[in-house]
Amino acid sequence: PLGRQRAGRLWGPSRSRCGGPAGAMGLELELEPLFQAWSYFRRRKFRQCADICSQLLKRPPGEQAAWSLKTRALTEMVYVDEIDMDQEGIAEMMLDENAIAQVARPGTSLKLPGTSQGGGPSPAVRPVTQSGRPITGFVRPSTQSGRPSTMEQAIKTPRTALTARPITSASGGYVRLGTASMLTNPDGPFINLSRLNLAKYAQKPKLAKALFEYIFHHENDVKNALDLAALATEHAQFKDWWWKVQIGKCYYRLGLYREAEKQFKSALKQQDMVDTILYLAKVYLRLDQPVTALNLFKQGLERFPGEVTLICGIARIYEEMNNISTAAEYYKDVLKQDNTHVEAIACIGSNHFYSDQPEIALRFYRRLLQMGVYNCQLFNNLGLCCFYAQQYDMTLSSFERALFLAENEEETADVWYNLGHVAVGIGDLNLAYQCFKLTLVNNNDYAEAYNNLAVLEMRKGHIEQARALLQTASSLAPHMYEPHFNFAILSEKVGDLQRSYTAAQKSEEAFPGHVDTQQLIKQLKQHFAML
Amino acid sequence: MSLFKARDWWSTILGEKEEFDQGCLCVADVDNSGSGQDKIIVGSYMGYLRIFNPHPVKPGDEVQPEDLLLEVQLREPILQVEVGKFVSGTEGLHLAVLHCRKLCVYSVSGTLGNVEHGNQYQIKLMYEHNLQRTACNMTYGPFGGVKGRDLICIQSMDGMLMLFEQESYAFGRFLPGFLLPGPLTYSSRTDSFITVSSCQQVESYKYQVLAFATDADERQETEQQKLSSGKRVAVDWVLNIGEQALDICVVSFNQAVSSVFVLGERNFFCLKDNGQIRFMKKLDYSPSCFIPYCSVKEGTINTLVGNHSKMLNVYQDVTLKWATQLPHIPVSVKVANLQDLKGVIVTLSDNGHLQCSYLGTDPSLFQAPKVDSREINYEEFDAEMKKLQKIIKEATKTQDILPKSEKHRDLIVTAEVSPSLDAESQAIDSEVKAEAVPSVTVKITIQSRVTAQKPNLAVCVQAPLAVTCDQFVFDDLEPDSSETVVLSVFLKGNCSPSELEGNCMVSYNIPTGIPKVAQCNFRLPLRLICFPAQPSKAANHKLTIDTNKPPISFLTIFPDFVDPSEDDQANVLGFQFLTGSKTTLLASKTSQRYRIQSDQLEDLWLITKELTLRLEEHFKKQNCKDFACTFSGSIPLQEYFELIDRHFELRLNAEKFQELLSERAVQFRAIERRLLTRFKDKTPAPLQHLDTLLEGTFREVIALADAAEENQANMFQAFTKLKSATHLMIMLISLWQKLSTDQVAILEATFLPLAEDTPELGWEETVDAAISYLLRTCLSKSSKEQALTLSSQLCMPKDTSRLKKNITLFCDRLAKGGRLSLSTDSAAQQATVMPGGCATIPESDLEERTVIPGSTATFPSHGQIAKQKSKP
């Protein structure tokens, strides 16, 4: 979760204008207040800037420059790059009238987890997410995609606190973003949108752009923002690409993807811009047209060769489409352009790890550590890599640090889970048992830990416990094949062939290429035939 | 994020609490020493002008006093310092200092002393201009192509460009569409000024055009003339970059074409002379300053970009070549030649940290804080580990982690129900339609012997009873302290409860962090839900309880219901429930019998229970130990079955409602989707009454939901009645067969599962399964019946006939002498699987209830361990 928010929030404690030592020395060096505010803005000291502007605005007559500067300062305080924002609610998914085909062809849709074409690792090696995609090395807003097929199923699928999806995107993260406007202000809100004459402002391009960003980012009022943008683009005789991009952004937020696409395309015709390409690609991804998005990125790269965000976008799409090796190639391209790119390093690292090259993965993770990434996940991964690269001396100390750095119980659970693996690896089953137990203490939705506990219980011969644990695991994570398969084996051993068969079928559904499952099914079928 | 940090060559901190910004740093050979060595000139908003000539003996040395060539206080804030050929008649470099309302040009000169620290430097004011408007920033250059001298252009805060031809003021021009000043620079190749306006556009103005436009000093006229065309300052070219800019720079190096660099807030642009984008780069950080400094490779330009995460990035065009960490956020960055060292990076932070540094592979070693780890004494740890392992083993073996020590309870909770009803009823929001709903006060006391952290008291009574407050949170309790709370219980729902018991529970943590629970039960008075009334002779349901003692006068056992003045109540008593129904209690004058009668089967329960309880209590007081009640009449199964059917019917209804609701919801969404496409269509098509359909469906959904809710309320009432009747049945069966307490416990567990009555798992199937199990095990007639054919999953039955049949059979078998037991020989095998004393308490439908013959065969682990997970 290395967030990519850019909004630097500087909350300067001093509210007075900078007096400094000048006063003490008996010298009154007075800077022009507007200049002081302007300088604060340049240095991203938005709080001080806004304070000075407020004082300026108290004096009659209200100055446009101070007003505009304050608008910009307030916006910058809460600014989050819209490109990185993505959230799809259940309602958007289900009422999606943009879908072209019910069943997309393989390789053209992100909805199907799909068969891996690029020879990526199988789920036996690399864990998958709920939607059947391999777990990526970097947590991004949109990594939890994948769509349930009906509304009922969407509402009923197990939703833990970590994977919960809002009912509509209007109720999700966007709401949290806009809460800046709800902070109580003794003088009421800075700009009262309902009293704003948008048509008047739309005719003043110098004010309108700052005002738009304020309405969009600070107030989070997409409708008013769209009104302003529509008026402004008309005033600019549809010659200003910036307004078109803004209209596109509003349309995107409102779920009018085709309209957004038109605006972005029209803006691109006027002026090639990296941001516009990224927005347009985002629209295509939402419309589930990854191939179009890929082509767009590639065209964009011709115009802006070596643009990191574009290459990274390509890599992400390939990763989502399960084409891991191509994704890794593009991530390597990213590193050629910007060798401090954390996402690329992390993704290549995890790719190496899951393709059984822990030593190489270790180098990537160590690089991240040297660069100053210092968190629980990194040490967790370092510990695992060390273990599988047979550098046992470092393993435990890495995990120790990971535990020390864990910020919440989910992270602690992850570390304990991996420690459990190490314990299994060194054959200390007691320790493993306790580690998995601790995992569940920290996060009792941890399906993998339930599964592994069940395996340990099976070894001890506690069949009832193992069965209960496996059932819990499979109900928590229907997408994992292990609980189903283990359940099938367990049932087969005690002679309950019918249940074994159903479980085996579920396992096959979750992971069609699993050889052991296929063998089991074959064996069971023979049994049935004999009966 | 970077591997390396900038290597410190020389650094100092300027002044105390002084402020600096972009224009405050300038690097040039300002004293015209001719040695090609740059000096660092820094001005501050506090008015200090300083000139440095750093020459450390070795990198990272302390600042020598002679490094500071000059320090003067100019008594006015310094906005910008620039060095150029500002004085006519000479090509020497002079220093221009921009104040808020003044422009000063100084010459800097030094006289050499005998020793180095004897060198003297001074500045001499060559000329100054007082400004009419507040200045913001300035640029200089050979405007109009003049040779050998630099002219100055100052941008004011209100958008006027003021041009000075050295000692004289040339002209001033207002920029069109101005709001806030942007960065300003001069491009000598095109002879134009380039700035970024508030419209988020890069704008270029030809010097020529500015010079010939109307003088801005007659502003009044200009305002009007601006509207008329021709005289207006016309822009040469405009590029819309869609963001505000921090800085702008024009460079032309030998190997590379001349370009305009613009550092935006989020992107970094390189433009051609005509304003087209050559390349751009999206920055994933907030930049603070930049400088294009040279061209290393043919056709490319290297740029330094500083940012707010204290990093300095070196780009070759768009490729990141180097990233280095700085100790501060730079507001200005320059590249200088100092002491024979070419390309020293000079950075200035806004609080006055001036640093000269160079790049190098000096790792910025990130010092991870030490994990607090003790010296490990392995023997001690081994011993502790063994001890802990033992405890864990012990705990997992007994399943019961907490040792039971009733006597040494750390925290005791007691509840005291006040003997009389509240004088003033505390009932709120009661749905009972009686005139007055009484309430009774319960006083709960918590006594703690130890420190109890975060004690939390929960009081719970079975609906339809309710309490005025059911959650109490206290501060941490000290040892030997106590807390008391008072609350009232009253009847809320409009039906009689099935139990008059309440329960309070305190959860707390002991200081070591172990959570613990203490609880107690309390019994509520009968008066809470009913009051004395006229007895009625006729009734549908009658029960007769036999005892082995002569009848007791109701005056003694029901003093709270009998009015002592009326004698005839001694053996007949009427009860009127708050909900309306009546029950009559009769004591036989001759035999040792009591009769309870009512129109409703379920109403008998509470009175019967109360009667037996009070009788037992009465005889206990009299030290009479052999008192016993019996029941000989037939069990009223038929009436009981009616209640079951009623409840089951409501369950079926609920299911039907749910189906209908989901059907309507699907329909509603389908219409919604159609409407959505209609509305989004560019050419509006008629709605074709879709809106009416939507409205209608919506109403239907709401009506269905209302009906379902009502059904739910009814079902709750029916279930309460069923529970009452079940209690009665259990009591009657146990009195009838004189069952022991163990057997009663099994009976209760069978008929009253702890699980809630939910649509997925209801009372009927749970009880059916439990009874079937008993019938197959302890009540089985032959071993043949023990064959296990239980379905693995509990689901709602189609009708209740099977349940009824089983209950009848169950009573039959009991009558024939069956004994309820969970560990009879015949059931030994199965019983091993069942945990604890309660036979069948399914907790969820996930838990399968199949009984597998205990297999002790070793189980070869063929299972798969799920894979490790890692997420950075």
Side-chain angles (χ1 to χ4, degrees):
Chain A
L2 295 157
R4 281 157 57 79
Q5 287 201 351
R6 290 175 19 157
R9 281 178 165 234
L10 298 170
W11 297 92
S14 73
R15 287 182 163 263
S16 60
R17 288 218 312 277
C18 169
M25 294 163 70
L27 273 167
E28 278 301 323
L29 291 189
E30 192 72 2
L31 275 173
E32 172 80 15
L34 186 60
F35 178 82
Q36 177 81 57
W38 181 76
S39 168
Y40 274 137
F41 182 82
R42 264 187 46 89
R43 287 178 271 151
R44 299 185 73 79
K45 298 195 167 175
F46 302 121
R47 175 58 60 193
Q48 285 105 311
C49 170
D51 285 346
I52 296 181
C53 289
S54 313
Q55 280 173 13
L56 279 177
L57 286 170
K58 272 184 199 152
R59 293 185 209 156
E63 232 200 304
Q64 278 189 348
W67 185 85
S68 175
L69 195 59
K70 184 171 177 187
T71 316
R72 274 164 62 186
L74 292 178
T75 311
E76 282 293 324
M77 274 189 229
V78 296
Y79 179 84
V80 174
D81 199 341
E82 184 70 7
I83 290 167
D84 290 333
M85 272 301 301
D86 202 9
Q87 194 162 42
E88 197 175 16
I90 292 175
E92 276 87 11
M93 262 185 313
M94 298 324 302
L95 292 176
D96 173 20
E97 80 279 29
N98 298 306
I100 297 166
Q102 285 289 315
V103 183
R105 283 194 223 167
T108 62
S109 168
L110 293 174
K111 284 184 195 172
L112 291 173
T115 46
S116 81
Q117 304 129 352
S122 71
V125 186
R126 185 169 185 156
V128 291
T129 60
Q130 263 189 350
S131 49
R133 298 215 165 79
I135 276 184
T136 141
F138 194 80
V139 180
R140 302 183 271 273
S142 59
T143 37
Q144 48 150 312
S145 54
R147 298 151 179 250
S149 50
T150 70
M151 188 84 174
E152 277 75 17
Q153 196 192 335
I155 295 170
K156 280 180 187 166
T157 36
R159 297 203 293 168
T160 66
L162 298 175
T163 61
R165 195 187 268 282
I167 298 293
T168 72
S169 65
S171 63
Y174 288 133
V175 176
R176 285 198 295 282
L177 280 182
T179 44
S181 57
M182 289 179 216
L183 291 175
T184 46
N185 202 327
D187 314 327
F190 170 49
I191 299 174
N192 194 336
L193 289 184
S194 53
R195 276 193 262 145
L196 218 53
N197 181 0
L198 293 179
K200 195 183 90 192
Y201 284 97
Q203 285 164 9
K204 294 179 181 161
K206 53 190 180 179
L207 290 177
K209 286 185 176 175
L211 180 63
F212 174 86
E213 291 197 319
Y214 177 81
I215 299 176
F216 191 83
H217 290 289
H218 189 273
E219 295 290 318
N220 202 25
D221 185 344
V222 181
K223 266 195 234 155
N224 268 324
L226 181 59
D227 283 349
L228 177 64
L231 290 168
T233 191
E234 210 180 316
H235 182 254
Q237 293 164 338
F238 305 100
K239 279 178 187 157
D240 191 336
W241 63 267
W242 192 83
W243 283 116
K244 291 183 181 173
V245 172
Q246 306 312 313
I247 294 175
K249 269 159 76 176
C250 293
Y251 278 144
Y252 183 86
R253 280 265 189 112
L254 294 174
L256 303 168
Y257 303 122
R258 289 291 175 197
E259 286 75 7
E261 180 196 357
K262 260 180 228 154
Q263 295 291 340
F264 289 137
K265 271 188 167 167
S266 158
L268 269 183
K269 247 179 229 156
Q270 277 176 344
Q271 178 74 57
D272 281 323
M273 277 284 167
V274 175
D275 270 359
T276 319
I277 297 173
L278 291 172
Y279 283 126
L280 186 56
K282 201 174 145 188
V283 171
Y284 283 133
L285 287 181
R286 183 50 72 82
L287 290 175
D288 195 25
Q289 298 181 14
V291 181
T292 323
L294 277 179
N295 288 337
L296 178 74
F297 277 137
K298 284 173 185 165
Q299 283 166 17
L301 276 179
E302 278 164 26
R303 175 67 183 85
F304 300 108
E307 175 59 38
V308 170
T309 44
L310 299 181
I311 310 176
C312 193
I314 296 181
R316 285 181 191 178
I317 294 176
Y318 276 125
E319 200 174 14
E320 291 251 306
M321 287 168 68
N322 235 350
N323 197 341
I324 302 292
S325 50
T326 320
E329 285 305 311
Y330 276 97
Y331 276 127
K332 280 176 191 162
D333 278 353
V334 170
L335 285 190
K336 274 176 204 152
Q337 291 298 326
D338 178 357
N339 51 20
T340 61
H341 202 271
V342 176
E343 177 178 352
I345 300 179
C347 286
I348 296 177
S350 67
N351 191 28
H352 278 299
F353 178 75
Y354 286 120
S355 44
D356 219 7
Q357 295 167 308
E359 295 87 351
I360 301 174
L362 189 59
R363 295 176 68 128
F364 280 94
Y365 289 132
R366 222 165 50 200
R367 172 77 175 217
L368 282 179
L369 182 66
Q370 284 165 341
M371 279 168 57
V373 181
Y374 182 64
N375 57 18
C376 169
Q377 287 88 349
L378 183 64
F379 277 105
N380 189 11
N381 291 356
L382 277 174
L384 274 182
C385 288
C386 285
F387 181 70
Y388 287 101
Q390 305 190 358
Q391 302 183 4
Y392 299 120
D393 48 344
M394 285 299 292
T395 309
L396 286 180
S397 55
S398 291
F399 281 125
E400 200 179 5
R401 257 184 206 284
L403 275 181
F404 173 70
L405 284 173
E407 276 170 3
N408 52 33
E409 292 187 335
E410 281 76 25
E411 289 180 3
T412 318
D414 274 344
V415 182
W416 280 117
Y417 175 76
N418 286 331
L419 270 172
H421 259 281
V422 172
V424 170
I426 58 176
D428 188 346
L429 295 188
N430 257 333
L431 179 64
Y433 187 84
Q434 276 152 24
C435 287
F436 291 134
K437 278 273 184 198
L438 278 169
T439 311
L440 293 181
V441 166
N442 283 298
N443 176 8
N444 63 0
D445 288 332
Y446 215 112
E448 287 90 348
Y450 278 111
N451 177 64
N452 293 2
L453 265 182
V455 174
L456 294 179
E457 292 283 6
M458 280 198 306
R459 279 186 63 92
K460 288 188 191 169
H462 298 163
I463 291 184
E464 280 305 308
Q465 273 99 323
R467 185 203 298 275
L469 287 168
L470 285 175
Q471 274 171 345
T472 319
S474 55
S475 71
L476 279 174
H479 60 277
M480 277 172 33
Y481 77 95
E482 290 96 342
H484 298 304
F485 178 70
N486 289 344
F487 194 76
I489 296 260
L490 179 80
S491 305
E492 200 242 2
K493 290 287 169 197
V494 296
D496 191 343
L497 300 185
Q498 183 57 42
R499 240 185 267 170
S500 170
Y501 185 66
T502 25
Q505 273 179 328
K506 279 186 198 158
S507 161
E508 195 184 23
E509 203 177 295
F511 179 18
H514 192 225
V515 181
D516 288 348
T517 310
Q518 284 163 352
Q519 275 179 351
L520 183 68
I521 291 180
K522 210 170 118 196
Q523 202 182 327
L524 285 171
K525 276 187 179 157
Q526 274 177 355
H527 264 297
F528 291 139
M530 269 163 61
L531 293 171
Chain B
M1 303 265 165
S2 164
L3 281 182
F4 306 118
K5 66 179 178 196
R7 302 194 69 162
D8 183 22
W9 185 67
W10 178 88
S11 75
T12 181
I13 291 176
L14 308 175
E16 267 178 37
K17 288 190 179 171
E18 290 190 42
E19 266 194 295
F20 301 84
D21 202 354
Q22 191 181 21
C24 295
L25 177 68
C26 178
V27 166
D29 184 18
V30 67
D31 60 341
N32 299 306
S33 64
S35 58
Q37 287 209 12
D38 289 333
K39 315 286 179 299
I40 302 170
I41 305 120
V42 187
S44 84
Y45 283 180
M46 301 302 123
Y48 284 95
L49 179 73
R50 299 181 179 88
I51 301 177
F52 290 96
N53 181 22
H55 46 286
V57 181
K58 64 177 200 296
D61 262 359
E62 291 273 302
V63 179
Q64 307 288 323
E66 59 264 29
D67 287 346
L68 179 62
L69 302 183
L70 180 79
E71 180 174 51
V72 276
Q73 161 66 276
L74 292 179
R75 303 193 171 262
E76 260 190 273
I78 298 171
L79 307 187
Q80 196 172 349
V81 284
E82 293 293 351
V83 172
K85 302 162 192 163
F86 297 133
V87 176
S88 52
T90 165
E91 293 215 355
L93 293 176
H94 287 80
L95 174 67
V97 178
L98 181 67
H99 301 293
C100 287
R101 292 254 172 182
K102 201 157 74 171
L103 170 73
C104 303
V105 173
Y106 298 95
S107 80
V108 181
S109 58
T111 40
L112 290 180
N114 291 334
V115 283
E116 201 180 3
H117 56 260
N119 293 355
Q120 273 187 26
Y121 285 83
Q122 61 260 354
I123 55 169
K124 199 173 112 200
L125 183 67
M126 302 305 284
Y127 59 88
E128 64 178 18
H129 292 290
N130 284 313
L131 308 174
Q132 298 299 313
R133 303 176 179 280
T134 315
C136 173
N137 53 13
M138 65 176 172
T139 185
Y140 68 96
F143 305 157
V146 289
K147 291 269 157 35
R149 53 191 187 131
D150 286 325
L151 312 188
I152 295 177
C153 172
I154 299 174
Q155 182 179 215
S156 76
M157 281 307 286
D158 53 357
M160 185 160 121
L161 294 184
M162 292 172 275
L163 284 104
F164 294 91
E165 287 187 2
Q166 302 192 328
E167 286 85 352
S168 59
Y169 171 69
F171 57 86
R173 296 288 180 268
F174 276 106
L175 290 173
F178 181 88
L179 185 65
L180 279 166
L184 178 73
T185 193
Y186 170 76
S187 163
S188 56
R189 264 174 62 97
T190 55
D191 190 24
S192 52
F193 296 101
I194 302 169
T195 184
V196 179
S197 74
S198 295
C199 302
Q200 309 189 341
Q201 293 171 338
V202 186
E203 296 173 358
S204 163
Y205 297 95
K206 287 264 188 208
Y207 176 70
Q208 219 74 26
V209 176
L210 285 178
F212 290 123
T214 321
D215 201 324
D217 286 343
E218 300 111 43
R219 194 168 185 180
Q220 301 298 323
E221 290 166 46
T222 336
E223 289 285 322
Q224 289 154 4
Q225 281 166 352
K226 258 183 197 168
L227 300 170
S228 60
S229 57
K231 298 288 187 183
R232 223 178 122 169
V233 175
V235 68
D236 183 24
W237 52 259
V238 169
L239 174 74
N240 189 346
I241 57 168
E243 64 194 289
Q244 300 290 341
L246 288 166
D247 202 357
I248 193 164
C249 228
V250 179
V251 289
S252 53
F253 299 115
N254 298 334
Q255 291 176 313
V257 272
S258 152
S259 321
V260 181
F261 283 86
V262 181
L263 181 69
E265 284 170 339
R266 328 198 195 290
N267 291 288
F268 162 61
F269 301 88
C270 171
L271 316 179
K272 293 177 192 164
D273 274 341
N274 60 359
Q276 284 172 333
I277 296 180
R278 176 167 287 141
F279 60 79
M280 70 179 277
K281 168 150 189 75
K282 189 172 159 64
L283 304 174
D284 54 0
Y285 48 78
S286 301
S288 61
C289 59
F290 87 131
I291 183 169
Y293 64 95
C294 74
S295 166
V296 177
K297 209 173 109 192
E298 181 84 42
T300 63
I301 291 171
N302 284 19
T303 315
L304 285 172
V305 182
N307 68 24
H308 281 271
S309 24
K310 296 187 180 175
M311 298 278 302
L312 192 69
N313 292 338
V314 185
Y315 290 99
Q316 185 171 70
D317 281 1
V318 293
T319 308
L320 182 72
K321 283 290 168 190
W322 201 266
T324 182
Q325 281 178 359
L326 288 177
H328 55 242
I329 297 172
V331 291
S332 182
V333 58
K334 303 280 176 203
V335 175
N337 296 331
L338 298 168
Q339 206 198 17
D340 305 326
L341 193 63
K342 280 186 182 170
V344 179
I345 300 166
V346 184
T347 51
L348 177 70
S349 79
D350 81 328
N351 54 6
H353 188 202
L354 177 68
Q355 171 163 323
C356 300
S357 48
Y358 56 99
L359 301 177
T361 52
D362 208 7
S364 82
L365 271 186
F366 172 69
Q367 290 290 330
K370 249 189 123 113
V371 179
D372 141 64
S373 61
R374 290 163 284 173
E375 277 293 305
I376 294 175
N377 180 346
Y378 283 99
E379 279 144 34
E380 231 170 72
F381 270 48
D382 261 354
E384 193 184 338
M385 187 72 186
K386 261 185 195 147
K387 213 172 97 196
L388 291 176
Q389 296 267 26
K390 213 172 156 190
I391 294 173
I392 293 172
K393 216 172 182 180
E394 207 59 35
T396 44
K397 204 187 276 167
T398 52
Q399 290 282 333
D400 202 44
I401 297 170
L402 288 179
K404 276 188 186 155
S405 54
E406 291 287 332
K407 285 174 198 160
H408 304 288
R409 282 272 166 127
D410 296 331
L411 188 140
I412 300 167
V413 55
T414 46
E416 190 189 325
V417 182
S418 91
S420 58
L421 298 179
D422 294 347
E424 196 173 320
S425 174
Q426 302 291 317
I428 30 172
D429 301 336
S430 178
E431 294 155 13
V432 183
K433 290 170 197 109
E435 290 150 24
V437 179
S439 70
V440 68
T441 305
V442 181
K443 192 169 122 192
I444 297 169
T445 313
I446 304 170
Q447 280 174 309
S448 176
R449 290 206 197 129
V450 292
T451 311
Q453 291 170 339
K454 290 185 265 174
N456 193 344
L457 169 70
V459 185
C460 144
V461 289
Q462 290 257 337
L465 291 172
V467 289
T468 43
C469 179
D470 60 349
Q471 285 280 342
F472 298 90
V473 181
F474 305 104
D475 294 333
D476 292 0
L477 285 176
E478 297 297 314
D480 293 320
S481 61
S482 66
E483 287 276 352
T484 307
V485 291
V486 172
L487 50 96
S488 293
V489 185
F490 61 94
L491 187 66
K492 191 167 189 191
N494 194 20
C495 62
S496 294
S498 63
E499 290 170 56
L500 279 174
E501 302 250 316
N503 177 311
C504 47
M505 195 177 299
V506 181
S507 61
Y508 60 100
N509 286 352
I510 61 171
T512 46
I514 301 172
K516 294 208 167 187
V517 172
Q519 61 168 340
C520 84
N521 294 338
F522 54 89
R523 193 174 162 73
L524 299 162
L526 190 62
R527 277 302 300 263
L528 191 62
I529 52 157
C530 62
F531 51 89
Q534 206 57 43
S536 64
K537 292 274 181 232
N540 291 348
H541 303 281
K542 292 174 186 168
L543 278 183
T544 313
I545 304 283
D546 298 320
T547 62
N548 52 3
K549 297 282 173 217
I552 314 292
S553 159
F554 288 150
L555 280 169
T556 18
I557 52 170
F558 280 102
D560 47 343
F561 280 88
V562 181
D563 188 354
S565 59
E566 286 181 51
D567 256 2
D568 60 329
Q569 282 191 333
N571 51 11
V572 59
L573 199 53
F575 297 93
Q576 163 109 44
F577 286 96
L578 285 182
T579 47
S581 49
K582 263 187 183 180
T583 305
T584 307
L585 183 60
L586 296 156
S588 161
K589 280 169 193 157
T590 50
S591 56
Q592 303 165 346
R593 284 183 179 173
Y594 299 89
R595 165 163 291 184
I596 309 111
Q597 55 185 34
S598 167
D599 284 342
Q600 316 283 337
L601 181 67
E602 65 272 11
D603 289 338
L604 295 174
W605 154 244
L606 281 175
I607 305 298
T608 317
K609 170 87 178 167
E610 196 72 20
L611 175 71
T612 49
L613 270 181
R614 291 197 185 202
L615 281 174
E616 270 165 25
E617 215 171 293
H618 175 76
F619 286 108
K620 214 177 184 179
K621 264 187 213 158
Q622 295 186 346
N623 274 332
C624 176
K625 279 176 190 156
D626 57 345
F627 170 75
C629 299
T630 46
F631 176 71
S632 55
S634 64
I635 306 279
L637 281 180
Q638 219 44 53
E639 293 87 339
Y640 182 52
F641 289 161
E642 274 168 27
L643 280 173
I644 295 179
D645 279 340
R646 167 85 185 128
H647 176 247
F648 189 71
E649 189 194 323
L650 288 170
R651 272 188 75 190
L652 287 180
N653 278 351
E655 204 173 49
K656 206 175 71 201
F657 277 126
Q658 200 176 359
E659 255 168 45
L660 280 174
L661 254 179
S662 73
E663 228 170 68
R664 287 293 171 278
V666 168
Q667 180 181 330
F668 188 72
R669 283 198 295 274
I671 301 170
E672 250 185 343
R673 202 176 306 182
R674 287 194 170 242
L675 265 179
L676 195 64
T677 34
R678 286 281 155 95
F679 282 132
K680 277 168 82 173
D681 228 350
K682 275 277 144 59
T683 50
L687 292 179
Q688 288 172 331
H689 299 300
L690 269 177
D691 50 339
T692 327
L693 205 54
L694 186 79
E695 176 88 29
T697 316
F698 177 70
R699 278 176 204 280
E700 266 180 64
V701 169
I702 295 296
L704 270 174
D706 284 345
E709 263 183 10
E710 200 191 323
N711 186 69
Q712 207 168 12
N714 285 340
M715 197 157 79
F716 172 73
Q717 280 200 9
F719 189 58
T720 316
K721 285 179 183 170
L722 182 61
K723 264 204 288 193
S724 297
T726 311
H727 275 296
L728 185 67
M729 298 309 287
I730 294 169
M731 182 170 190
L732 292 182
I733 291 176
S734 52
L735 290 182
W736 172 47
Q737 289 295 322
K738 302 188 187 63
L739 298 181
S740 65
T741 34
D742 284 353
Q743 285 179 312
V744 176
I746 295 175
L747 205 58
E748 273 185 357
T750 311
F751 276 98
L752 291 168
L754 292 176
E756 292 283 311
D757 191 44
T758 58
E760 287 85 25
L761 184 75
W763 183 86
E764 282 85 0
E765 52 266 32
T766 324
V767 172
D768 187 26
I771 293 180
S772 311
Y773 175 76
L774 287 177
L775 286 177
R776 289 213 163 76
T777 54
C778 53
L779 296 180
S780 65
K781 274 200 293 194
S782 61
S783 56
K784 203 173 84 186
E785 275 188 353
Q786 287 180 13
L788 292 165
T789 50
L790 279 178
S791 64
S792 61
Q793 210 124 32
L794 286 185
C795 55
M796 192 165 156
K798 283 191 193 68
D799 53 40
T800 53
S801 57
R802 195 179 121 97
L803 174 66
K804 287 181 200 162
K805 205 183 86 196
N806 276 342
I807 293 179
T808 321
L809 196 62
F810 178 77
C811 291
D812 240 31
R813 296 258 169 98
L814 276 181
K816 283 177 188 154
R819 237 184 113 252
L820 290 177
S821 148
L822 289 176
S823 52
T824 50
D825 296 333
S826 62
Q829 202 182 18
Q830 288 81 357
T832 51
V833 197
M834 289 301 171
C838 299
T840 45
I841 304 169
E843 280 173 359
S844 74
D845 52 352
L846 286 171
E847 188 179 329
E848 303 212 5
R849 291 162 41 76
T850 331
V851 180
I852 302 268
S855 131
T856 46
T858 46
F859 189 81
S861 158
H862 212 275
Q864 304 231 335
I865 293 259
K867 300 146 311 260
Q868 58 280 2
K869 233 169 64 165
S870 68
K871 294 180 256 183

